Amino acid sequence: MREENTIVSAALDARFFAPLRRGRTRRVGVELEFPVWNLASGRATDFAAVHEATGDFLSRFPFSDQVRDDQGAIYRATDPATRDELSFDCSYNTLELSFGPDEDITATRRRFIAYYAALQEALGRHGHALTGMGINPRWRENRPEPIGNGRYRMLLHHLKSYSKYGGSPQFHDHPDFGLFSCSSQTQVDADEETVVATINAFNLLEPFKAVLFANSPFGQRHETLCGRDSLWSRSLHGLNPHNCGMYGVTIRSLSDILGYLESTSIYCVERGEKYINFPPVPLRDYLRLGGFSGEYWDAAANVHLPCIVRPQPSDVAWLRPFKFEDLTQRGTVEFRSVCEQPVREAFASAAFHAGLAERVDELLALLSEDTVLYGHGYGATELRGMMICRAWPSFVDRADLTAQLHRILDIAENGLALRGFGEEPLLAPLRERADTLASPAREHLSRLERGESLDSIAVDYGSL
């Protein structure tokens, strides 16, 4: 047992900690997921139209490294020079633009504007559009079909197996949520000296981020402003709560991070060209299992078939934690809790995280002494759950909350000034949200109550 734990620890060190030992840079990676929606009311996304628009885009930009699904459609294309990438996330209902790491967020944004305008034009010719929402406005009508490849087919099959695992957590009945929920993700460089403070500070920040960035109203009465949280935590990904969401503990050392990673569960591996899924197993127990049962997709038989999985130390590469503050194999911390934002404000989140990462000790000090949300008997995880709701707890003083949000934004602005790329204006939408305490989701619901249509809001949130 001790030898197996040593092997797991060494594999985790190689994957997650070795990249932290190189010099930290100020590069920022940005990933933006956009719903693709049919402008015709009540109509599903037409995948043929999406493929034609993709072809039109690729004729205009040098995304020459291309990957195709089992039917020959391009689902990922990369510009080898910039490492920018056009892809579809889980299904052709969601288009993702990912950008190669760049020190200057404004330079990344300029490339984004060119790409996005071309995509909107191409999709518009086929009666479709992109929008900046965390939930696809046509999610009920859209075809819940994964991209035709091994990885996405395996993932949806795995998530659909939740009924085998009892009632804890209380699973929702939307295992296809990855086909209609969209996020805005930012990665910043980290190193061994900063990673612990970064995880702790941004974990404490999550309740405040809910106020600024919630953009996925969900539920029968839209009682949740950030439905993405529960779509993840109450799916099979949340069977082990350490695999997604927030940290319920204070991280005190690199050893704590290692222990936390060992406690997360692995649920898939690849053998040859087969993606295999199996019941989630905490990584610290995985190598001791010997052979156990899994499933893989047999394309010839058009069915999932059983197989035996024999664990290998290299399988650590398939560990898939989805934390809000996620340590990656690139030597970065990836921030995953932000819903996709209205498009003209899409880079506010990246600027916010990059600026705060420059002044993380100051942020941690501010939040460690906070009495606006903290100090009322609740921890960070509980407060995040409260602040993503439409109705906030009675102890929240709106004026105090606005003032604290501006103090947080001051730290972010000072951090951006230290970076020296003139990125500070990107925070302007967040200043307004701090004043009004109205996230895009809250504004969305107010507009619906005034009689505006969902389609009209989606058009607006999709405008540059």
Side-chain angles (χ1 to χ4, degrees):
M1 179 175 175
R2 182 176 299 174
E3 181 181 356
E4 289 158 347
N5 288 344
T6 300
I7 292 171
V8 168
S9 297
L12 287 171
D13 182 85
R15 183 181 180 195
F16 292 104
F17 293 97
L20 295 174
R21 295 176 191 128
R22 52 132 175 86
R24 179 174 176 266
T25 74
R26 287 177 169 160
R27 294 183 303 170
V28 177
V30 180
E31 301 174 22
L32 304 171
E33 300 169 358
F34 298 104
V36 183
W37 65 295
N38 194 323
L39 294 171
S41 181
R43 298 288 296 276
T45 300
D46 181 347
F47 293 171
V50 173
H51 298 325
E52 288 193 31
T54 301
D56 183 84
F57 176 86
L58 296 176
S59 71
R60 300 176 60 178
F61 296 96
F63 285 56
S64 56
D65 295 343
Q66 300 172 1
V67 184
R68 297 177 182 269
D69 67 16
D70 294 345
Q71 290 74 46
I74 295 171
Y75 70 88
R76 187 169 71 244
T78 307
D79 180 339
T82 62
R83 294 168 59 192
D84 295 346
E85 186 172 279
L86 167 75
S87 65
F88 293 91
D89 187 70
C90 292
S91 84
Y92 291 109
N93 296 310
T94 301
L95 185 147
E96 180 172 343
L97 288 171
S98 307
F99 298 87
D102 199 326
E103 287 195 324
D104 184 355
I105 298 171
T106 59
T108 302
R109 184 175 180 271
R110 285 194 294 272
R111 301 200 305 277
F112 162 74
I113 289 172
Y115 301 154
Y116 187 86
L119 287 164
Q120 283 289 64
E121 180 185 346
L123 286 165
R125 288 197 292 271
H126 300 282
H128 286 65
L130 304 174
T131 188
M133 290 179 161
I135 300 290
N136 193 307
R138 296 279 187 264
W139 73 273
R140 292 181 179 86
E141 294 88 356
N142 281 344
R143 293 153 51 189
E145 298 177 13
I147 290 170
N149 70 6
R151 176 190 172 195
Y152 288 121
R153 194 180 287 113
M154 173 277 296
L155 177 59
L156 188 58
H157 176 69
H158 172 70
L159 291 172
K160 283 184 173 181
S161 70
Y162 68 93
S163 60
K164 301 176 182 178
Y165 296 87
S168 181
Q170 185 178 355
F171 296 110
H172 59 66
D173 58 357
H174 302 292
D176 60 340
F177 71 94
L179 282 60
F180 62 79
S181 65
C182 296
S183 69
S184 169
Q185 299 168 24
T186 303
Q187 293 191 39
V188 299
D189 266 6
D191 55 29
E192 289 184 311
E193 287 71 38
T194 61
V195 67
V196 170
T198 298
I199 289 174
N200 286 330
F202 281 92
N203 194 64
L204 290 172
L205 184 64
E206 286 299 338
F208 294 97
K209 284 171 59 177
V211 178
L212 294 173
F213 294 110
N215 194 26
S216 54
F218 209 67
Q220 289 186 336
R221 293 176 296 278
H222 294 132
E223 59 271 17
T224 302
L225 299 179
C226 191
R228 289 181 57 256
D229 282 27
S230 60
L231 286 171
W232 279 88
S233 64
R234 290 178 51 214
S235 76
L236 197 51
H237 285 315
L239 181 68
N240 179 346
H242 281 199
N243 269 57
C244 61
M246 296 178 62
Y247 292 86
V249 297
T250 299
I251 301 296
R252 302 190 183 280
S253 65
L254 294 176
S255 294
D256 281 357
I257 300 176
L258 178 62
Y260 203 98
L261 287 168
E262 290 174 345
S263 74
T264 60
S265 295
I266 184 171
Y267 65 87
C268 67
V269 294
E270 187 178 15
R271 294 288 186 265
E273 296 183 356
K274 293 183 175 67
Y275 283 85
I276 302 169
N277 70 277
F278 45 83
V281 182
L283 190 61
R284 62 166 53 104
D285 300 326
Y286 178 69
L287 289 181
R288 298 202 298 269
L289 290 180
F292 59 94
S293 296
E295 295 178 288
Y296 72 96
W297 173 257
D298 187 291
N302 198 36
V303 68
H304 285 89
L305 296 176
C307 64
I308 298 298
V309 180
R310 301 195 183 281
Q312 304 170 5
S314 59
D315 291 342
V316 166
W318 293 99
L319 182 67
R320 292 287 186 271
F322 299 104
K323 305 300 290 181
F324 285 169
E325 283 72 46
D326 212 5
L327 181 60
T328 78
Q329 61 187 351
R330 304 177 186 90
T332 65
V333 175
E334 182 173 24
F335 303 106
R336 303 178 53 89
S337 66
V338 174
C339 306
E340 188 49 78
Q341 301 292 288
V343 170
R344 57 182 165 267
E345 302 170 357
F347 278 76
S349 175
F352 178 77
H353 289 95
L356 291 175
E358 291 292 331
R359 306 293 292 267
V360 70
D361 289 338
E362 186 177 344
L363 175 65
L364 184 57
L366 176 71
L367 297 179
S368 296
E369 299 297 324
D370 175 74
T371 57
V372 177
L373 296 184
Y374 292 95
H376 300 278
Y378 302 100
T381 302
E382 295 167 303
L383 287 168
R384 169 80 185 188
M386 294 173 178
M387 300 307 291
I388 65 171
C389 293
R390 200 170 184 188
W392 289 337
S394 59
F395 62 75
V396 176
D397 181 281
R398 295 177 65 87
D400 289 346
L401 180 55
T402 287
Q404 188 72 319
L405 287 170
H406 278 295
R407 284 189 282 268
I408 292 167
L409 289 168
D410 287 343
I411 296 173
E413 188 169 331
N414 291 337
L416 292 177
L418 185 64
R419 285 168 51 80
F421 298 107
E423 300 154 327
E424 296 92 318
L426 295 172
L427 295 176
L430 304 184
R431 293 288 188 182
E432 182 176 347
R433 295 181 198 176
D435 287 335
T436 61
L437 299 181
S439 66
R442 202 171 286 277
E443 176 65 21
H444 170 161
L445 297 183
S446 295
R447 291 169 69 169
L448 286 178
E449 290 169 353
R450 294 196 297 267
E452 191 170 346
S453 71
L454 175 62
D455 285 14
S456 174
I457 298 167
V459 169
D460 181 38
Y461 278 21
S463 301
L464 278 169

